[in-house]
Amino acid sequence: RTVFDPNDWKKFRSSYRIVRNLQSMFTSGVIRGLWLELTAVSAISTIVLVWNMFLLPEFASQPHTAFLGPVHLPTLPFTISSPALGLLLVFRTNTCYARWKDAGQAWMAIAQHCKSLARMGLTYV
C-alpha cells in the first residue's frame, strides 16, 4: 500500500484536487473497463434529450406526424437495480470503516508497545 507523507497529504487536501481527478479520469481503470457501457448510456441519453427538447417540437407542429410523441425511458431497470447499488454502497462503506478500525487498532497496539518499552526501560534503569 501507498504510505502518505506530509507532502502527499498537502497535495491530497488541495482545493485543486478536483481538477487533477478530472484530468486523470480517462486513465482510470474503472472507466477503461466500462467505456462501452458508459458510451452507450451517454449516447442514448443524448438522443432522448435532443429528440424531446429540439426535434419533437418541430415535428409535432406538422399534422402528418401526430403519431410521434416524446420518448420516455422505462423506470423498471432503475427500480430493479437500485437495491443492488444500495447494497454495493453499503458493503463498500463497511469495508472502508473496517479498514479504518483496523488501522486504529494497529495504532493502539503500537502505542501500547511503546509504553511497555518505556516501562521496561525505566525498570532497568
Side-chain angles (χ1 to χ4, degrees):
R1 271 196 233 178
T2 304
V3 178
F4 277 45
D5 62 5
N7 292 330
D8 290 334
W9 279 111
K10 285 180 186 175
K11 182 180 175 186
F12 179 74
R13 289 188 333 234
S14 169
S15 58
Y16 296 108
R17 68 179 181 265
I18 186 72
V19 174
R20 284 195 313 271
N21 289 340
L22 289 174
Q23 288 173 343
S24 66
M25 182 172 59
F26 296 108
T27 60
S28 166
V30 173
I31 291 182
R32 283 187 288 158
L34 296 174
W35 73 270
L36 187 61
E37 291 86 352
L38 289 172
T39 304
V41 168
S42 298
I44 291 170
S45 301
T46 303
I47 290 169
V48 168
L49 175 77
V50 168
W51 174 257
N52 287 340
M53 296 296 291
F54 302 113
L55 299 178
L56 184 62
E58 295 294 327
F59 285 118
S61 64
Q62 299 174 5
H64 64 279
T65 58
F67 63 91
L68 297 175
V71 177
H72 300 287
L73 294 177
T75 59
L76 184 63
F78 302 108
T79 306
I80 291 174
S81 64
S82 294
L85 291 174
L87 286 175
L88 180 68
L89 180 63
V90 167
F91 289 144
R92 187 176 177 115
T93 303
N94 286 344
T95 303
C96 291
Y97 179 72
R99 288 177 65 190
W100 177 264
K101 184 179 174 184
D102 290 343
Q105 289 174 346
W107 183 254
M108 288 189 330
I110 290 171
Q112 286 295 340
H113 287 301
C114 289
K115 290 177 186 176
S116 296
L117 184 63
R119 264 188 255 126
M120 286 189 270
L122 286 175
T123 304
Y124 183 73
V125 173

